[in-house]
Amino acid sequence: MSEQPASTAQPPLLNDGIELCWQTDTSPATKRLAHRILRRELTPAIATRLIRTNGADPHTLVGLREKAPGEWPHTKWVPLLSLAIDDPTDSVPSVWRMDLDLETPLLLKPWSSRQLQRDILEALISCGANVNFHHPAHFSMRAMSVAAKTGNIEAVEVLLATNQLDYLSCPSISPPLRPSQAYDDALIRTARRLLHHDPSLSGLAVLEAATSRPLPSKAFTYEYMDTILQHGDPIPVGVVRTALSEAAGLGSHWVMDYLCERLATPADINPAQGHHPPLQRAAMHLQVLLDEWDGWDGDVDDDMLDAIRNRKLVVRSLLRAGADLSTKVLPITTTGDRKRRELVLKEYVVVLNELPFVVMDAINAALSTQRDAYIVMTRILPFVDHNDEDACLPHPPSPSPLSFGPQEAAAIAWKIGAFLHDPPAALTAVDQVLTNASALKRRVRAAVGHFVKWAATKTVSNREVVGGWSRGPDGQMARVPQLQCFAVDAGQRHTHTQLGVREVVHGARLEEVRQHGLEGVVKGFNNEEGNDDCQFQWGRLGFVGQTGQQWVSLGIN
């Protein structure tokens, strides 16, 4: 397509770094119409007169070209209708940047009101502007794409009202040049409106989210994906698996986290023979980047480091979701195979070393309300009025504060607070990290559930739960272990070995170490004892009731 640069005599319309170009057959009236749109100096009446009386063509393209000395000039061809759509939050999404790798934005002031923008768009459409018109090389500059990606809900409504759109999609979730909460909110509203118009857009929206670059924040990704699930059609299995594959290849780790947590099944994470598992693809892309890094001369730029980090996070997401680590997925046949497997196993060590902190957070989440109530009631119970005499006496007794012995108020407060503990909160916290079925998740989940129940209802204080240091009768400080509510069956004639939740969770980690030959998993407590206090058979793990020494199995295998 031939083009002509804009006349240097015209008043400046654009920010520095961008200039206008025209198609060779662009009339003066069309240029005047474009100038007025760019300056936001147009009314519906003037637009109609320029088109119907002066011959301006509303069905035309305007070229935007970077003034990049020494580089091949890049021109983005934009329909007039798209140029008339505001960026209402002034966030500069990708459609208003000349190149995703450059930060040369198109900065236009907005129309004086939302109603004026609506009137201008309706006038251009009524005078012949085609809502589907776009340059073949710039599909993303169609009017609806621009309206959706800028979060311009008023423009979306105008375009939907024409009933002439031949293509719809939810807005991409790539962050704008100037991120803001206003832009995020506008994009969510736009996606919700488009899904109400056509719920079948949900599948494509999930795929586009998995391929969005650069990556949006976790909070926005989850809200956007929730919107798709709530307002769109159910996501087909094939779309979920394709999205997993795309996210694995591109390093879209927040989307991968969401897919593993909310949509993917074990069969999606570990597909049947004949399909490439997402973990395999993620490992291949990670290895390619690391090999490129090894051959890099000079300093590695931030983009490369981010890409490596993102792909490592994708690998961890899949491992937490129970991805298969067998040689079917990560073979050891060639040198390249072994390198990829080693890379994945290193990331699994990171996941396992994070697990104890996840467990503690889960337990604290479940016991937090009980602990809060315990603190308050321990202080106020001694001041509660009571009557300990017969109220039928001629002279009714006067109320007096409750009288407790040492530690009685605290013990009573802890027992009352037990009604407030929240077992589902602990399991939810575990589920958010270990997101799919695996032996590791099953064991950790069962251990956390038992510990929370026992800590809340079978103890007399928070100190008994968390352990610490206590002064004995002889005045010496003695270490009090954390609550040991697990027991390893030693048979009828022997004393059952008592364990705490940390030992049980580390035992689950040691199973993974043995199964996959891992190195670097850190115990993190009682290190002087090694792993001896965490060695047990899962079928013999249970607890001993408080009324006797009868051992009860927890049924964890």
Side-chain angles (χ1 to χ4, degrees):
M1 180 181 292
S2 60
E3 61 185 64
Q4 295 177 338
S7 170
T8 56
Q10 71 176 43
L13 297 170
L14 308 174
N15 47 295
D16 291 339
I18 300 177
E19 63 181 357
L20 285 181
C21 295
W22 308 102
Q23 297 171 272
T24 53
D25 57 351
T26 304
S27 68
T30 301
K31 292 180 181 180
R32 287 198 298 275
L33 177 62
H35 291 170
R36 284 184 171 272
I37 290 174
L38 289 167
R39 290 194 187 98
R40 300 308 196 236
E41 296 175 353
L42 188 65
T43 65
I46 294 175
T48 302
R49 186 173 70 249
L50 284 171
I51 296 168
R52 292 183 173 168
T53 304
N54 298 349
D57 183 7
H59 185 68
T60 193
L61 296 168
V62 177
L64 305 174
R65 186 169 65 186
E66 286 185 285
K67 300 176 183 177
E71 297 182 8
W72 188 263
H74 170 74
T75 303
K76 177 181 282 190
W77 292 99
V78 185
L80 273 181
L81 193 61
S82 297
L83 285 176
I85 295 173
D86 277 343
D87 175 9
T89 59
D90 195 30
S91 298
V92 195
S94 59
V95 291
W96 289 138
R97 279 176 276 170
M98 295 303 297
D99 193 307
L100 287 177
D101 296 328
L102 300 174
E103 293 189 354
T104 306
L106 176 65
L107 303 175
L108 298 173
K109 68 178 183 180
W111 296 101
S112 60
S113 71
R114 301 290 86 213
Q115 185 58 48
L116 178 58
Q117 179 199 237
R118 177 185 291 271
D119 293 341
I120 293 295
L121 293 174
E122 290 175 345
L124 293 174
I125 293 169
S126 67
C127 290
N130 187 336
V131 295
N132 300 305
F133 182 52
H134 65 278
H135 187 279
H138 299 131
F139 190 73
S140 64
M141 298 313 298
R142 289 165 304 131
M144 179 52 86
S145 292
V146 172
K149 290 176 182 178
T150 55
N152 193 323
I153 192 68
E154 294 85 5
V156 167
E157 295 288 2
V158 170
L159 297 170
L160 289 176
T162 65
N163 293 317
Q164 298 173 7
L165 296 165
D166 58 13
Y167 182 84
L168 275 178
S169 68
C170 288
S172 63
I173 60 174
S174 299
L177 186 61
R178 300 169 179 166
S180 68
Q181 187 61 50
Y183 177 73
D184 291 350
D185 293 343
L187 220 58
I188 295 295
R189 284 196 302 272
T190 301
R192 188 183 302 121
R193 176 65 183 91
L194 289 168
L195 288 165
H196 282 163
H197 180 82
D198 185 358
S200 69
L201 298 175
S202 57
L204 180 59
V206 168
L207 292 176
E208 289 187 343
T211 57
S212 292
R213 311 295 299 166
L215 301 180
S217 67
K218 178 180 181 179
F220 176 74
T221 299
Y222 272 59
E223 184 178 5
Y224 185 82
M225 298 289 281
D226 281 342
T227 299
I228 294 172
L229 295 190
Q230 291 167 8
H231 300 282
D233 287 343
I235 310 300
V237 172
V239 171
V240 173
R241 293 187 177 180
T242 302
L244 285 168
S245 180
E246 293 294 336
L250 293 170
S252 303
H253 60 91
W254 293 134
V255 175
M256 180 63 78
D257 272 354
Y258 187 95
L259 292 172
C260 291
E261 183 181 336
R262 309 280 177 89
L263 285 175
T265 66
D268 300 324
I269 302 296
N270 299 307
Q273 191 172 5
H275 296 82
H276 291 294
L279 181 61
Q280 190 179 75
R281 186 174 188 193
M284 291 173 63
H285 281 267
L286 176 57
Q287 182 193 9
V288 168
L289 284 175
L290 290 174
D291 288 345
E292 185 178 344
W293 186 11
D294 288 340
W296 200 290
D297 293 330
D299 296 332
V300 180
D301 63 16
D302 291 341
D303 289 341
M304 171 65 81
L305 294 175
D306 283 344
I308 292 172
R309 173 181 171 274
N310 291 339
R311 281 167 176 79
K312 286 183 176 182
L313 291 173
V314 163
V315 170
R316 294 176 202 171
S317 297
L318 290 165
L319 292 171
R320 288 193 296 265
D324 186 3
L325 283 169
S326 72
T327 53
K328 292 187 302 181
V329 176
L330 298 170
I332 54 175
T333 308
T334 67
T335 301
D337 291 338
R338 291 190 288 273
K339 286 177 64 176
R340 283 190 288 273
R341 182 173 180 81
E342 183 180 348
L343 289 174
V344 172
L345 293 183
K346 284 182 179 179
E347 297 310 311
Y348 196 31
V349 169
V350 174
V351 170
L352 292 177
N353 281 333
E354 292 172 346
L355 189 57
F357 302 99
V358 171
V359 168
M360 288 301 107
D361 288 344
I363 291 170
N364 289 333
L367 297 179
S368 62
T369 51
Q370 180 175 0
R371 286 168 171 162
D372 290 343
Y374 162 74
I375 291 171
V376 173
M377 285 189 290
T378 297
R379 294 174 179 172
I380 67 173
L381 275 177
F383 301 102
V384 175
D385 290 339
H386 79 298
N387 292 312
D388 54 6
E389 298 181 29
D390 189 350
C392 297
L393 294 176
H395 302 287
S398 300
S400 61
L402 288 170
S403 177
F404 295 107
Q407 306 302 321
E408 281 185 327
I412 293 171
W414 184 251
K415 291 298 184 181
I416 295 174
F419 289 99
L420 303 176
H421 85 286
D422 186 9
L427 301 182
T428 298
V430 173
D431 292 344
Q432 288 175 343
V433 177
L434 301 176
T435 55
N436 232 306
S438 67
L440 177 65
K441 177 179 179 177
R442 184 173 64 254
R443 290 164 176 164
V444 171
R445 207 173 186 272
V448 168
H450 173 71
F451 183 87
V452 167
K453 178 181 178 181
W454 200 278
T457 63
K458 306 292 186 182
T459 59
V460 296
S461 69
N462 188 54
R463 171 59 64 87
E464 187 178 345
V465 176
V466 301
W469 292 87
S470 176
R471 191 177 300 277
D474 58 357
Q476 297 296 316
M477 297 299 294
R479 183 169 169 266
V480 179
Q482 288 188 346
L483 175 64
Q484 295 185 312
C485 58
F486 300 88
V488 179
D489 183 20
Q492 295 182 351
R493 298 176 179 239
H494 298 85
T495 302
H496 306 300
T497 303
Q498 300 290 316
L499 298 178
V501 70
R502 292 185 303 177
E503 288 84 355
V504 174
V505 170
H506 190 55
R509 295 196 295 160
L510 290 176
E511 288 287 341
E512 301 299 307
V513 169
R514 285 189 288 268
Q515 183 177 353
H516 305 296
L518 305 177
E519 295 181 0
V521 174
V522 179
K523 183 182 180 185
F525 65 97
N526 296 346
N527 294 316
E528 66 280 1
E529 299 182 17
N531 291 323
D532 292 343
D533 57 340
C534 304
Q535 306 282 3
F536 55 86
Q537 295 179 5
W538 286 96
R540 305 186 73 171
L541 183 68
F543 62 94
V544 176
Q546 289 182 318
T547 57
Q549 289 297 309
Q550 183 178 4
W551 178 85
V552 180
S553 173
L554 282 173
I556 307 175
N557 55 34

